[in-house]
Amino acid sequence: MARRSRHEEYDQPTGGWGSVASLVKHSTEQHAVGSVTGLLRHHNKVGGYMCTSCAWAKPGEPHAAEFCENGAKATFWDLTSKRTGPDFFAQHTVSELMNWSDFELENQGRLTHPMRYDASSDKYVEVAWEEAFADIGTKLKGYEPKRTVFYASGRASLETSYMYALFARLYGHNNLPDSSNMCHETTSVALPQSIGTPVGTVLLEDFDKTDCIFAFGQNVGTNSPRLLHSLQEARERDVPIVVFNPLRERGWEEFVNPQRVGEMLTNNPTQIATQYYQVRAGGDIAAMIGIGKALLALDDAARSEGGERVLDAAFIAEHTEGFAALETKLRGTSWAEITDESGLTRAAIEAAAQTFANATSIIAVYGMGLTQHRRGVDNVQMLVNLLLMRGQIGNPGAGICPVRGHSNVQGQRTVGIAEKVELVPLDKLAEQFGFEPPQEDGMATVEACEAIVAGKVQAFLGLGGNFIRAIPERELMEEKWRGLDLSVQIATKLNRSHLITGATTYLLPTLVRSEIDEQAGGEQIVTMEDSTTCIHASRGKWAPASKTLLSEPRIVAELAKAALTPNPKVPWDEWVADYAMVRDAIEQTYPDQFRDFNQRLDTPGGFPRPVAARERKWETDTGKANFKVPKALSASFDDGRDANVLRLITLRSNDQFNTTVYGYADRLRGIHGSRLIVMMNRDDRIRFGIPDKGKARLTTAVNDGIVRSIGGLEVIDYDIPPGTCAAYFPECNVLIPLWQFAEESKTPAAKSVPVTVTAE
Ligand SMILES: Nc1nc2c(c(=O)[nH]1)N[C@H]1C(S)=C(S)[C@@H](COP(=O)(O)OP(=O)(O)OC[C@H]3O[C@@H](n4cnc5c(=O)[nH]c(N)nc54)[C@H](O)[C@@H]3O)O[C@H]1N2
Ligand SMILES: Nc1nc2c(c(=O)[nH]1)N[C@H]1C(S)=C(S)[C@@H](COP(=O)(O)OP(=O)(O)OC[C@H]3O[C@@H](n4cnc5c(=O)[nH]c(N)nc54)[C@H](O)[C@@H]3O)O[C@H]1N2
Ligand SMILES: [Mo]
């Protein structure tokens, strides 16, 4: 049935009663075995389990309820009492399920039994674990390892991830794309060039010390709501918070802390952003060049008047390289170019620069609004440039703070899930496990897609995730996927990627993190790394959804045993019996990062991995922090000159975790009832001849011979800059060409897809 949308201005703060109502709704609708009291006791607490939603830091002294609406929703959905077992699959053909929505598929509940696709009946049929492992192992033995891909979505623990990456290398390839290739890979490419570390430099405690926060392209209220606690406390110290985002996201505007009874009763919100700039999509490089230019002007004035310098000249001289080139760029770019490209006025940019100049310690927060663009790397590096101009890396209360996505996406990279060999201590692995690891770079996500399109991939293993739904160019990918010989999906819930089958397809169900993981050596602990490089232990608390489920480490170990010749140095069974032994192996491979790993598991707030840039040690090619000159003013593919081409942002609603759709209430944007919508500036809507509440078709504006189009989108008049529009991921992934990705990082450019609009 077609859904109709409803849009009303949402003037309630983030958090508050709206979040409580939503939490209760999801706990009830999922008949979840976990309760709100259970969550209070165990969620993000030492001795409990770590949230499976976002990767935001967990404080050493947790709040009574150290969870947010969306973390609770994710947990209730994990702990649902609904089941997608063999009888479900007996009733539905895969062709029928192809017509179900993402919501309907996952709302069937937890997968319980290993299943194999049977083409003759077009159904998934139960298979014994041993048979599945043996068959997959035999098939893998017959393939050319470099023609197989082992994908990981960023949820699996450090223990599982280490084992999975080792399995790939023992088998013979580095084809280890993970969800971060679609996400913060841009960060992992940009930051090492600039400051010599692939991760952020900010710790949670820096938020208590900062006196200024700048935030670009991140939706805090939906995607990292616990960060709002730090933002609220910062506001109570009168810290300015300056936001750049095309949309006025409620989370950046007002917050009522559900933890504070008084605030809840009076509905008395804290105002979060003190300055809000609705930059146009892809316009941040220009906006940041403007800020840099204005900082230079302020510094010039201070010098001529003999006042205090705005630039940190001592820091620039001692710690950086390349400032002269950046200065030339800043001075040489005209205000006309800057305002044209950013869509912001000179006065607005100068006001932001003034706030930046007044502060002594500045944190820069950012998300997908910077990384998922053609020039995402320039976006991130330009933000670092601003910090470096004022010496804002490696001092308390300051630094660069990418807000990561999946709860262990950063950690997966740390322990070897990486397609680039330079990121992995292959020599160490060779010595530790007595084998010759493959030395060539493997495929990242886009490269894996290209190889699948070219028919060069024989097998795909997915450690979680919904690969085909998350990548660009969905229609072509679905068609080409059918050319795979083997597709194996390790998953918790049914999703669309499971319905696109290869010649042989397996669905292997696994535990969720909040469930008890009992192995031969007793109940097991797993670990993960948060956005601020802190490592946390996680202990499941609830009984598994089914006795037939296996843990992720066990599944990975069984697959490895079935596919590889035995290696006495890799004791898969012993590792599965006691995950502490995997942690010992991790410590052996990464002694500096994981010193005393097993002893430090319960450090309140997690134990931080060392990050050299925090100590102002720059592990870059120059040994200094590098200013990087952006290659262009626009971050987008289109040049912004054609008024008929809009830049489409594909983003998340408040009722989803990536491709997992919990419902149809994007409460904080006031959009209800449907996800087939497009938010558009009213003048644009009228210009395109679309009536109020009318429908539109979006078509990708590129000439490469492929028509990419989606119709039936209800147009919602929205407060968004002209020339920019926004719609939901993953519905709009059909529109993104596979070749439109960030230069260098290959992160798909999901945040400014050039589209034309036609009325329907
Ligand atoms: N509840 C929930 N939490 C999540 C997720 C989820 O789906 N649901 N996903 C997780 C994952 S994997 C990730 S990566 C993160 C994603 O979290 P975010 O980084 O917040 O990603 P998006 O939701 O895609 O939103 C991007 C924001 O950038 C803005 N934006 C878009 N284009 C531009 C631009 O050109 N310039 C600027 N300045 N802003 C722009 C958008 O308006 C939007 O507010 O969240 C994680 N946490
Ligand atoms: N257009 C557009 N595309 C995007 C984005 C965008 O902003 N716009 N964002 C990109 C980003 S940032 C990301 S991270 C990717 C996300 O891409 P993925 O990480 O591949 O996708 P998810 O939706 O997170 O995967 C959900 C599935 O994971 C499985 N799952 C859940 N928990 C577990 C678990 O504990 N173990 C296992 N084994 N499986 C589990 C469930 O079966 C569920 O259906 O999408 C990217 N795609
Ligand atoms: Mo992500």
Side-chain angles (χ1 to χ4, degrees), residues 53 177 224 231 238 277-278 280 317 321 327 377 390 407 410 445 470 613 627 662 669 671 681 704-705:
S53 193
S224 55
L231 298 178
D238 220 12
Y277 299 106
Q278 288 180 269
R280 82 159 153 151
E321 279 282 328
E327 185 178 0
V377 169
R390 303 217 54 234
S407 51
Q410 188 167 307
T445 293
F627 284 100
Y662 301 122
R669 298 196 185 103
I671 300 171
N681 182 288
D704 63 354

Side-chain angles (χ1 to χ4, degrees), residues 270-306:
T270 305
Q271 198 200 341
I272 301 293
T274 48
Q275 286 159 272
Y276 206 120
Y277 299 106
Q278 288 180 269
V279 62
R280 82 159 153 151
D284 301 87
I285 299 175
M288 290 187 277
I289 286 186
I291 295 174
K293 191 177 172 71
L295 289 176
L296 286 179
L298 290 170
D299 190 62
D300 292 344
R303 278 210 279 188
S304 70
E305 290 156 18

Side-chain angles (χ1 to χ4, degrees), residues 106 151 153 155 179 182-183 368 372 406 463-467 470 490-493 495 498 510-511 552 650 652 657-660 729 733 736 750-751:
E106 292 214 28
Y151 171 70
S153 159
R155 237 175 227 191
S179 57
M182 300 180 249
C183 182
M368 298 298 99
Q372 295 178 330
H406 271 296
L463 178 60
N466 190 356
F467 187 81
I490 303 166
T492 56
K493 297 267 185 80
N495 65 45
H498 308 151
T510 191
L511 298 175
E552 287 180 323
T650 57
R652 294 154 171 79
F657 191 94
N658 298 341
T659 68
T660 299
F729 142 63
N733 286 34
I736 309 176
K751 293 293 186 273

Side-chain angles (χ1 to χ4, degrees), residues 293-344:
K293 191 177 172 71
L295 289 176
L296 286 179
L298 290 170
D299 190 62
D300 292 344
R303 278 210 279 188
S304 70
E305 290 156 18
E308 198 182 327
R309 295 282 305 267
V310 170
L311 300 193
D312 188 337
F315 176 88
I316 294 173
E318 184 186 345
H319 287 286
T320 71
E321 279 282 328
F323 180 61
L326 180 73
E327 185 178 0
T328 308
K329 178 78 181 175
L330 299 179
R331 293 196 191 276
T333 309
S334 72
W335 279 108
E337 291 170 281
I338 290 168
T339 54
D340 191 39
E341 192 49 57
S342 65
L344 300 173

Side-chain angles (χ1 to χ4, degrees), residues 211-212 214 291-292 294-296 298-299 302 308-317 319-320 323 326 330 352-363 382-396 398-399 616 627:
D211 64 10
C212 180
F214 267 63
I291 295 174
L295 289 176
L296 286 179
L298 290 170
D299 190 62
E308 198 182 327
R309 295 282 305 267
V310 170
L311 300 193
D312 188 337
F315 176 88
I316 294 173
H319 287 286
T320 71
F323 180 61
L326 180 73
L330 299 179
Q354 188 64 59
T355 305
F356 200 85
N358 292 346
T360 52
S361 49
I362 307 166
I363 291 179
M382 192 56 220
L383 188 53
V384 175
N385 287 341
L386 294 179
L387 292 172
L388 293 177
M389 284 173 79
R390 303 217 54 234
Q392 293 296 326
I393 300 230
N395 43 328
R616 297 194 164 175
F627 284 100

